Amino acid sequence: MADDFALPADPASAWAAAPATPLVSEQMRALVTQIFEPTATATHPRSEDRHSGLAQQAQIDAPPPASALCSAAHAAFAAALGPEHVRTDASTRAAHANGMSYLDLLRHRLPAARALPDAVLEPADEGQIAALLAVAAEHAVAVVPFGGGTSVVGGVTPAKGELRAVVALDLARLDRLVELDEVSRTATLQAGLTGPAADALLAAHGFTLGHVPQSFERATIGGYAATRSAGQLSTGWGRFDALVERLRAVTPAGTLVLGRAPGTAAGPDLKQLLLGSEGAFGVITEVTVRVRPLPQARRHEGWRVESFAAGAALLRRLAQDGPRPDLARLSDETETAMGFATGGEQGGEGCLLLVGWEGGEADVNGRALATAALLQAAGAHPLGEPAAASWRSGRFRAPRMRDELIDLGVAVETLETAASWRDLERVHAAVGEALRDALGEQMRPVVACHVSHLYAAGASLYFSVIARRDPADPVGQWQRAKHAATDAMAAAGATITHHHAVGADHAPWLAAEVGEEGVALLRAVKAQLDPAGIMNPGKLLA
């Protein structure tokens, strides 16, 4: 996490408070203006006056809607939690109104009313969560579990469906390291802990979770579990869902305690029904995860390869035959040329490949030397530690730069998938083409991509898109592009999401991924655990 990270005055309006010095330099600002001819301009916003122009007009034209929570439900929630933990003030409701997708942030800059939760509930323990779920079921109130608010797929949008009202359930008070088992190397963490807070608690005992997604600054342990998160070291250390040994979840039907031993043949693994469930079945309250001793050594290096195809072939060799890196990232030709991975410091021809290792000194050095021999024999050119250092120093910069680019008046968003090694290049080409065609040549779209998570059978693809914003229909512009890209993923046999989860945005394509019977199975689980349908309506299941 960058040392200067701070939330904006309205945490739902931008990723971070505006820095004293803009991340988008004057040179980059001039280039963006030249290429995209943005239709809306804004001077660099101040930290307490984040947006100008459209945002100020939106604040004038769209006063917050009144809470629809009835007095009986409000009184019952207050009795369960304490009156001070049932928040209906406009600023708290607004701070829980959306995630961090491009469209979420764009809507803050448009003169139209946004949907807000009718209240924000702040429970302190599982007993209070069970009580508030009972109240919600009795009064037909939808409940949206809320952690760091970092969803980019509509996962925390306050939708009430056919119910009378909707509340956000903020898990921030569940913020403890419950237990550290140094013998088994597991830690039990409550769901409201942020990534940085969890790592600080573990580091005090000489351990680390080592799960570092780009959302690390704001995301929470519960969010990691509910979305099957992947981090920057997931190639070597595993995705978050692979780290979970046990979990607890409170559902409207009761409390689930899942996972006993590191291996079991006691039927299907029910933990997997809750991991990735996005609050649609219940509220994950704590997880027991595998942890590691703080690494003795860290070594990250950059290499240049001649093409995306050549780099992917090298990564496949490492993933399948070893030595397996902990960190692996391959930028395609466009991302490399624009220096997206390194803040503009390592552009040029070919493709940038980053590999890294963390752990014991002998293990790190051994894998690094063996990898270097393999890469050099294949014709890769070493760039050394500086290229990796550039990436590492700016790895949390992208969401903040997006804040500034949106203020400049361009469309900027990301999306991701994963595919088999056999199909990876075909999916890369198909999704890129779908995005460019949907946005149209007149919008001058730039589509860049990188691989960031390796498996023996395939890898992820993470796309970044920048285009001229359509002044007539900026929301529809991106919705059409995202629709086209997701259609292309499904048609190519790739997953509709690798680590962003399903949310509301991907729910229409879930049947294409798991089949109609798979969707029916998930509906049956929801009916059993959430018979009144109060849990996060419209997410996961359309």
Side-chain angles (χ1 to χ4, degrees):
M1 182 172 70
D3 293 337
D4 62 347
F5 176 75
L7 289 172
D10 176 358
S13 67
W15 183 264
T21 302
L23 295 175
V24 178
S25 65
E26 289 301 323
Q27 181 180 5
M28 186 182 297
R29 183 183 295 252
L31 184 62
V32 166
T33 301
Q34 178 184 352
I35 295 174
F36 299 110
E37 299 177 349
T39 55
T41 59
T43 57
H44 177 63
R46 299 291 182 262
S47 58
E48 294 302 318
D49 184 17
R50 166 97 224 161
H51 311 301
S52 58
L54 289 174
Q56 291 179 353
Q57 189 62 39
Q59 293 168 4
I60 294 171
D61 291 351
S67 172
L69 192 66
C70 70
S71 58
H74 189 286
F77 284 135
L81 306 179
E84 70 275 22
H85 295 299
V86 180
R87 305 286 297 276
T88 56
D89 58 284
S91 61
T92 301
R93 292 167 59 208
H96 295 76
N98 54 260
M100 288 285 114
S101 74
Y102 164 65
L103 292 186
D104 286 329
L105 301 182
L106 179 63
R107 289 184 176 109
H108 275 267
R109 294 145 170 88
L110 298 175
R114 293 181 298 122
L116 304 184
D118 295 301
V120 176
L121 309 182
E122 301 170 336
D125 55 40
E126 287 185 354
Q128 290 189 350
I129 292 173
L132 73 84
L133 293 186
V135 171
E138 178 183 355
H139 292 277
V141 176
V143 178
V144 180
F146 196 98
T150 64
S151 173
V152 293
V153 292
V156 294
T157 301
K160 63 182 179 181
E162 301 299 317
L163 301 172
R164 297 171 186 163
V166 56
V167 296
L169 193 165
D170 190 320
L171 292 159
R173 296 176 71 199
L174 278 71
D175 61 355
R176 293 189 300 117
L177 168 60
V178 177
E179 181 185 32
L180 176 63
D181 179 347
E182 297 189 26
V183 176
S184 305
R185 291 186 178 177
T186 63
T188 301
L189 304 167
Q190 287 191 310
L193 277 168
T194 64
D199 261 8
L201 289 170
L202 291 169
H205 299 276
F207 286 87
T208 180
L209 177 59
H211 186 77
V212 187
Q214 192 169 73
S215 60
F216 180 71
E217 295 170 317
R218 296 182 58 152
T220 62
I221 296 298
Y224 292 164
T227 62
R228 305 178 73 94
S229 171
Q232 293 163 353
L233 297 176
S234 290
T235 289
W237 291 26
R239 298 165 55 99
F240 192 81
D241 49 293
L243 302 178
V244 176
E245 294 289 327
R246 296 185 293 279
L247 66 77
R248 295 178 63 92
V250 179
T251 79
T255 298
L256 293 171
V257 183
L258 301 173
R260 288 195 173 196
T264 177
D269 186 355
L270 295 183
K271 294 195 307 293
Q272 298 301 324
L273 279 176
L274 274 295
L275 294 169
S277 62
E278 304 182 59
F281 300 155
V283 184
I284 296 172
T285 57
E286 70 177 42
V287 294
T288 300
V289 292
R290 295 196 301 276
V291 295
R292 295 182 177 224
L294 289 167
Q296 298 173 343
R298 175 182 292 115
R299 187 166 170 179
H300 298 167
E301 297 176 351
W303 296 76
R304 192 174 298 281
V305 294
E306 64 179 359
S307 66
F308 184 71
L314 287 172
L315 290 181
R316 179 175 64 83
R317 289 178 62 182
L318 294 174
Q320 293 178 339
D321 302 324
R324 191 179 185 89
D326 298 318
L327 162 73
R329 177 174 174 138
L330 171 67
S331 296
D332 70 4
E333 288 84 353
T334 301
E335 184 171 282
T336 300
M338 299 192 71
F340 283 179
T342 58
E345 296 180 24
Q346 296 289 335
E349 297 181 353
C351 292
L352 177 65
L353 172 65
L354 300 175
V355 285
W357 313 266
E358 300 190 10
E361 192 158 352
D363 171 61
V364 166
N365 290 336
R367 285 189 290 156
L369 290 173
T371 301
L374 186 153
L375 294 177
Q376 285 184 313
H381 176 72
L383 300 175
E385 169 64 19
S390 295
W391 165 79
R392 194 166 56 246
S393 67
R395 59 182 168 167
F396 301 122
R397 191 181 301 156
R400 307 182 196 194
M401 291 187 71
R402 185 181 62 164
D403 289 343
E404 296 181 18
L405 290 170
I406 293 173
D407 285 334
L408 283 174
V410 298
V412 54
E413 183 58 300
T414 62
L415 63 162
E416 35 70 70
T417 183
S420 67
W421 289 114
R422 181 192 63 191
D423 296 335
L424 196 71
E425 291 177 57
R426 180 169 60 87
V427 174
H428 173 256
V431 175
E433 181 180 9
L435 286 165
R436 287 185 289 269
D437 288 349
L439 289 165
E441 185 177 351
Q442 72 278 13
M443 294 301 172
R444 303 175 184 176
V446 174
V447 180
C449 183
H450 66 258
V451 169
S452 54
H453 307 279
L454 309 185
Y455 305 90
S460 67
L461 291 169
Y462 189 94
F463 294 87
S464 298
V465 185
I466 303 178
R468 186 183 186 194
R469 186 186 299 166
D470 182 350
D473 185 16
V475 173
Q477 175 192 27
W478 179 248
Q479 288 175 332
R480 290 186 292 273
K482 179 68 180 283
H483 192 289
T486 311
D487 277 349
M489 294 172 192
T495 183
I496 57 174
T497 176
H498 172 260
H499 58 268
H500 283 171
V502 177
D505 293 358
H506 294 145
W509 287 270
L510 186 60
E513 179 109 357
V514 304
E516 294 294 347
E517 288 302 316
V519 172
L521 176 61
L522 292 175
R523 291 193 189 282
V525 172
K526 183 171 178 66
Q528 175 64 33
L529 297 178
D530 178 25
I534 62 171
M535 298 306 306
N536 213 5
K539 319 311 185 328
L540 183 64
L541 297 165

